[in-house]
Amino acid sequence: MHIHKYEKWWLTFGIGSLVLFLVIVGFSAFHYGSHPPSAKVYVDPERVDEIAPFNNPGVHKVEGKDWDYEVVFVASAFYYNPPEIEVPLGSKVKFIATTKDVVHGFQAAGTNINMILEPGYVSEYVTTVDKAGEYLILCNEYCGIGHSSMMSMLKVVE
C-alpha cells in the first residue's frame, strides 16, 4: 500500500502529539497525585450531620482569620442546607461544603463561586462578595432525577 509522504508526515505528527499528551497527563497524575483538588479534609459521608462544622450549616461570623464569614453548606439528594443565606456586601467569605450522597455541583450564578462537592471530601472557596443582589446557587453536576430543582439562594445585602 502506498501512502503519500505528506500523509506520513501528518500521521507521524498526530501520533507523536497523542503520545506527548499522554506522557504529560500520566506524569501529572503520578507526580502530583490523583485526588480531588481540595482533599485536605475527609469526613464520613454517612455521619456528616454529626461532624462540625456541618452539624450547624449556615452563616457564621469569625474572628482572627483572613475572612469575615464562614458559610457552611451540606448538599444531599436535590437539596442544599441551608436553603437561603445572607451575607453583608464587601465581606470576605469562606464557603465550606460537602455532600452526603453523590457528586453535586455548587455554583452561585453570576459570581466566581463554583465548586464540585464529592461525598466525604470538604470543598472550600474564599471570595469577596462585592456586588449586592440575589444569586441563585445551582447544582451544575447532574445528580439524579430531581437535579433541576436543587437550588439555594445567596443574598448579598448592604
Side-chain angles (χ1 to χ4, degrees):
M1 178 167 134
H2 175 71
I3 298 177
H4 193 274
K5 70 176 182 177
Y6 293 134
E7 288 181 23
K8 289 180 186 176
W9 291 356
W10 279 111
L11 282 171
T12 303
F13 175 74
I15 292 171
S17 297
L18 180 62
V19 168
L20 178 65
F21 172 75
L22 291 174
V23 166
I24 290 171
V25 169
F27 176 77
S28 297
F30 290 110
H31 183 269
Y32 297 113
S34 292
H35 55 78
S38 63
K40 298 175 189 169
V41 179
Y42 181 82
V43 294
D44 183 0
E46 295 178 4
R47 297 182 46 236
V48 167
D49 292 329
E50 304 167 14
I51 300 169
F54 303 108
N55 59 350
N56 186 20
V59 180
H60 307 284
K61 176 89 172 137
V62 294
E63 301 282 333
K65 296 189 178 180
D66 290 338
W67 49 88
D68 306 315
Y69 293 90
E70 288 183 350
V71 177
V72 179
F73 272 97
V74 177
S76 57
F78 322 124
Y79 180 75
Y80 287 114
N81 186 18
E84 185 177 296
I85 59 163
E86 193 173 286
V87 294
L89 178 67
S91 59
K92 194 168 186 180
V93 180
K94 180 176 186 178
F95 289 87
I96 306 168
T98 193
T99 176
K100 298 180 189 181
D101 45 22
V102 298
V103 174
H104 292 286
F106 184 91
Q107 179 182 13
T111 70
N112 61 348
I113 302 165
N114 190 2
M115 299 185 290
I116 292 181
L117 310 180
E118 297 181 61
Y121 291 97
V122 177
S123 296
E124 299 177 345
Y125 187 79
V126 179
T127 188
T128 301
V129 288
D130 53 3
K131 188 176 176 189
E134 293 185 356
Y135 301 94
L136 190 61
I137 297 173
L138 300 168
C139 178
N140 57 5
E141 291 287 329
Y142 183 73
C143 55
I145 193 143
H147 166 74
S148 61
S149 65
M150 186 171 176
M151 61 188 74
S152 183
M153 183 64 70
L154 166 63
K155 293 183 178 181
V156 180
V157 296
E158 294 184 28

